[in-house]
Structures are given as C-alpha cells and as structure tokens.
Amino acid sequence: MKIRFRILLLLFSYFFTTGASTIGQTQHHFNYRQTLRIDFVLSGDHEQQQSAIAVYKKSPGYSAGQNQNTPSFDYGTYRLVLLNPQTDDTLFLKGFCTLFEEWRTTEQAGKVSRAFEQTVEAPWPISKVRILIEFRKKDGQFVTLINELFSPKETVPVTQIIPDENQAEIIHGINNPDEQADLLILAEGYTKDEKESFLHDAKNITDYLFSIAPYTNLKDKITVRALHTISAEAGTDDPVRNIRRETAMNSSFNTFGSDRYLESFSTWTIYDYAAGVPHDHIIVLVNTSKYGGGGVYNHFSIVSARHPSSPEVFVHETGHGLAGLGDEYYYNDSPIPDFFDKESEPWAPNLTTLVNFDIKWKHLVPDTVPIPTPPTPKYKNVTGVFEGAGYSAKGIYRPALNCRMKSNEAEGFCEVCRQSIKRIINFYAQ
Ligand SMILES: [Zn+2]
C-alpha cells in the first residue's frame, strides 16, 4: 500500500509542477545523504530588494527523500527552485518566508536599507543544477532574484559543516528521517549546566503539541529531537528592560519594536547548530519566562520556554513555521494595513480575500452557512468565512470564529488549519 501511495503522490507532483520531468528522474539528480545549504542575503528597503549568495555549504544527512522534491502545495513569499540546466525541468522546489519581508513593512524600511541572513536547504545535487531564488509579488507572480549555475564539483567556495559536537536526543518518535516529519528543538540561552532544564522544557511543549488535534493523530509520523546547544549566559536579550545576554543564537525580544516579538537574526548560526541533525523544521526554545515568540515558514520557529502560555504560543508559531498558516487575528486600526493585497488571493491556506475562494476551503463550508459568515454564536463551531484576519479587520477572511492561529484562548485549530497541518506532516512523512 505504501508503494502505491507514493506513486500516486509522485503522479500528483508531476502534474502540479510546471515543466516537471518524467517521474523518477529527480531521484538520480540528488544524493539524499548530504545537504546543499545555500546561505544568502536579502537586502533593500520598502521599495526594492536584492539578493546575493554568500556561501554554499555541504553538511551530512538530509531530512527528506525524493518524495519531498516537488510539493503539491505552493506556500511562501519566496522559493528556491533547482532546475535541470539542460532541460529546464524542475528538480526541486521549496517555498519559504523571511524576516526581511516583515521588516520591509516597518517604518524604518521607508528610510534605510538593511540586509538579512537567509538559509535554504536542498538535497545535494550530483550534477550541475540551475539555482533560482524567486520572490512572489502580491499579485502572485514570481520575480527572479538569483539565477546561477551550481556545480557540485566546480562551484567554490563550498564549506564542509562540522555538526555540533553535542548529541541530539530523540524525545519523541523514531530515528527514520526519510519517512518521519522531523522537528528539531535547539536550546537558546541555556548554559552548559542547564541541560536537564532544557530537556524538561522541550518535553513540556512537545507533550502539549501531541495533546491537540491534528497532532494527536499524527504522533506516529513525527519525530522530535532536542539538542542542548550551549550559551555562555542564561536568558535572552530584553531591550525594553535593558537586559543583554551572551547567547548562542543572539535572540532578542522587541523585534521590529514589538516587545513580545522574540526573534533571532542569526539565521546562519542557527542552521550551523542544526547541521547533521534531521530537521524538517527547526524550533528555537529560549530560556525565559517572558511571553513571546515568532514563526516564519520554512525558516524557523522560536518561542519562550516557560511563560504559562508557552505551549500555546509554540503551537501557534509552528503553525506559521512548519505549516505556512497565516495569522487569523486582526487589528481594527492595523499597523500594517497593506501586508496582504486584497485584490488577489493570499497563498496562506487559512486566509482568503474571496478573490478566488474556490481554491481555498469553500468545499468545507456547509450550504446552510452564509458567505461571509456573521460572527454570531450560531456559527461558533462551524467552518465558515469570517471577516477579519491577516492583521486587517476588512477584506480578509478566516475559516472560524476562533482558532489557535487567532488566539491562545481558542480550544485548538480550526478545521482548515487542522487539514493544512495534516497535509504538511503527511508530506514530510510519506
Ligand atoms: Zn485556523
């Protein structure tokens, strides 16, 4: 059954991906025992952006196999595409989001230019590939930022990454990276004496993850590892309280001027720590009891370890980071009113502008539920189309009155988010 299932999925990938080559060809282009890591820079301001490769790196192991080369979903503001240079066939595609795109919406980006570290990973190519880094404009069209040939034998410099000497521990699941969805929790702001404390905190959020749907029913497909990366000092930076800490990944609160927005801009360092440890998604667990976190699709998620709401925040942020879900909350007076273009359909699976609702969750809305759906108790437990989402009170719609992607008080994920998460986990675990 498993083999037949894989063939069906490959067929689906084949038909979905524009210009995809014949089935089976992609497996001969990659060595799945090694990772091609692309460290690059995104720079610019509100109006314009550039990108340039900083360095190509090679690290041992790769968390996925040939079935994960061309996903059937199309998420992310950016994407990496690897092409066969002879035929232009798509060999590999991975969408992702960036902190840079968020920064571009800030007031500062109207005045100055900045550069951000980015990393995206792929299986190691056996022969030459054309590398494209593309940006998705608000109308959904892609523009190419990087287009260059990569030769595994000739392109320099390629640095061999030495994996972190500390051993990752499996705290849930089995060691089978090809067929499991692999989550990796890295310690941030934990000293060398705080390993037990880190493992306790990592298990705490993992236990919560598996207590809610759809993760409860997917626990056999997920492996969670915890790696005690060591910081010189405990804690994290808290600029509002004038606290600075020497930590492994330079995390900090007050990202983009939002006190509770906990992030790290040291992307390359984070991926250095993760090198050689299976990771379909990285979670940075920060040794603090202050509320906060962040999650960026196929980049990493980050969360404070010991606030009473940390488990809920963790699950919300991995909704972004792992599953590409959008925020279902909104502001009546949005600080970022133009984050989404209301004239086109956003790529996030749980948000719609109703421009092309047929490709979203229309099939899940019962005939008896009006579109848009009134935000009244009558529709509390149904899948509908509720106005107010994606930071905007008007013009963007969410699937449910409440959801983990809207608030920590929600009972769990809405039906659309549950299905989206299930799809991602099944993709990594196929
Ligand atoms: Zn939802």
Side-chain angles (χ1 to χ4, degrees), residues 110-249:
K111 300 171 188 160
V112 296
S113 288
R114 286 289 182 269
F116 283 65
E117 294 179 2
Q118 296 298 148
T119 293
V120 63
E121 295 177 319
W124 183 259
I126 292 169
S127 51
K128 288 179 183 174
V129 290
R130 181 160 296 284
I131 289 181
L132 305 180
I133 303 272
E134 299 181 324
F135 169 68
R136 189 198 307 255
K137 294 188 295 181
K138 284 185 175 174
D139 65 4
Q141 300 297 307
F142 282 93
V143 292
T144 302
L145 300 175
I146 291 174
N147 179 346
E148 66 179 55
L149 206 57
F150 174 83
S151 166
K153 294 188 180 69
E154 297 158 23
T155 302
V156 287
V158 172
T159 310
Q160 183 85 29
I161 301 172
I162 310 298
D164 193 78
E165 62 187 22
N166 294 300
Q167 291 288 313
E169 293 187 21
I170 291 179
I171 59 173
H172 173 86
I174 58 170
N175 186 28
N176 187 4
D178 287 0
E179 298 184 9
Q180 290 288 100
D182 295 286
L183 306 184
L184 172 60
I185 302 175
L186 299 177
E188 160 67 347
Y190 291 83
T191 64
K192 69 175 175 12
D193 297 329
E194 292 182 295
K195 182 173 182 179
E196 290 309 311
S197 170
F198 163 65
L199 290 175
H200 175 270
D201 294 341
K203 284 173 184 160
N204 184 42
I205 60 169
T206 301
D207 287 347
Y208 179 75
L209 182 80
F210 290 121
S211 75
I212 64 163
Y215 293 105
T216 309
N217 293 325
L218 297 167
K219 60 170 69 167
D220 291 347
K221 298 184 175 187
I222 299 172
T223 294
V224 184
R225 292 175 179 79
L227 179 60
H228 178 223
T229 39
I230 295 168
S231 292
E233 294 183 303
T236 185
D237 291 357
D238 189 352
V240 169
R241 289 194 261 170
N242 206 25
I243 294 170
R244 308 278 169 187
R245 293 287 182 264
E246 181 79 24
T247 58
M249 298 164 214

Side-chain angles (χ1 to χ4, degrees), residues 325 328 350 399-400 402-405 413-418:
L325 300 174
E328 293 182 23
N350 60 331
N402 207 353
C403 169
R404 177 61 72 249
M405 296 313 292
F413 286 108
C414 70
E415 183 182 16
V416 173
C417 290
R418 290 198 304 271

Side-chain angles (χ1 to χ4, degrees), residues 139 341-346 351-360 395-397:
D139 65 4
D341 175 15
K342 289 162 190 168
E343 305 301 316
S344 60
E345 193 62 38
L351 304 180
T352 183
T353 48
L354 294 177
V355 169
N356 188 9
F357 188 46
D358 286 356
I359 64 166
K360 290 296 176 62
I396 304 183
Y397 301 82

Side-chain angles (χ1 to χ4, degrees), residues 46-334:
H46 184 69
E47 296 299 322
Q48 48 82 37
Q49 65 176 321
Q50 305 83 36
S51 187
I53 304 277
V55 64
Y56 292 106
K57 294 182 177 175
K58 185 192 235 180
S59 57
Y62 185 67
S63 316
Q66 64 194 48
N67 297 327
Q68 284 86 30
N69 284 343
T70 49
S72 59
F73 43 86
D74 181 28
Y75 303 157
T77 312
Y78 295 80
R79 68 184 186 185
L80 167 70
V81 187
L82 303 185
L83 300 177
N84 181 327
Q86 272 92 43
T87 62
D88 275 350
D89 288 345
T90 300
L91 303 175
F92 180 88
L93 189 151
K94 181 188 271 182
F96 58 95
C97 290
T98 67
L99 283 168
F100 176 66
E101 73 200 65
E102 294 180 24
W103 175 79
R104 290 183 80 200
T105 68
T106 64
E107 209 176 305
Q108 187 188 35
K111 300 171 188 160
V112 296
S113 288
R114 286 289 182 269
F116 283 65
E117 294 179 2
Q118 296 298 148
T119 293
V120 63
E121 295 177 319
W124 183 259
I126 292 169
S127 51
K128 288 179 183 174
V129 290
R130 181 160 296 284
I131 289 181
L132 305 180
I133 303 272
E134 299 181 324
F135 169 68
R136 189 198 307 255
K137 294 188 295 181
K138 284 185 175 174
D139 65 4
Q141 300 297 307
F142 282 93
V143 292
T144 302
L145 300 175
I146 291 174
N147 179 346
E148 66 179 55
L149 206 57
F150 174 83
S151 166
K153 294 188 180 69
E154 297 158 23
T155 302
V156 287
V158 172
T159 310
Q160 183 85 29
I161 301 172
I162 310 298
D164 193 78
E165 62 187 22
N166 294 300
Q167 291 288 313
E169 293 187 21
I170 291 179
I171 59 173
H172 173 86
I174 58 170
N175 186 28
N176 187 4
D178 287 0
E179 298 184 9
Q180 290 288 100
D182 295 286
L183 306 184
L184 172 60
I185 302 175
L186 299 177
E188 160 67 347
Y190 291 83
T191 64
K192 69 175 175 12
D193 297 329
E194 292 182 295
K195 182 173 182 179
E196 290 309 311
S197 170
F198 163 65
L199 290 175
H200 175 270
D201 294 341
K203 284 173 184 160
N204 184 42
I205 60 169
T206 301
D207 287 347
Y208 179 75
L209 182 80
F210 290 121
S211 75
I212 64 163
Y215 293 105
T216 309
N217 293 325
L218 297 167
K219 60 170 69 167
D220 291 347
K221 298 184 175 187
I222 299 172
T223 294
V224 184
R225 292 175 179 79
L227 179 60
H228 178 223
T229 39
I230 295 168
S231 292
E233 294 183 303
T236 185
D237 291 357
D238 189 352
V240 169
R241 289 194 261 170
N242 206 25
I243 294 170
R244 308 278 169 187
R245 293 287 182 264
E246 181 79 24
T247 58
M249 298 164 214
N250 303 308
S251 61
S252 178
F253 283 101
N254 206 37
T255 303
F256 306 145
S258 171
D259 185 32
R260 59 174 51 187
Y261 195 178
L262 175 62
E263 265 298 349
S264 165
F265 297 109
S266 299
T267 306
W268 298 343
T269 303
I270 289 170
Y271 275 80
D272 279 347
Y273 281 117
V277 185
H279 56 268
D280 290 313
H281 188 61
I282 298 168
I283 297 114
V284 177
L285 188 61
V286 185
N287 187 11
T288 174
S289 58
K290 179 171 169 170
Y291 181 94
V296 178
Y297 177 58
N298 274 350
H299 181 63
F300 55 81
S301 299
I302 181 166
V303 64
S304 78
R306 283 187 312 285
H307 185 274
S309 296
S310 285
E312 287 85 356
V313 177
F314 162 65
V315 168
H316 172 95
E317 301 303 350
T318 48
H320 294 304
L322 173 69
L325 300 174
D327 277 316
E328 293 182 23
Y329 59 81
Y330 58 93
Y331 307 100
N332 288 319
D333 186 17
S334 176

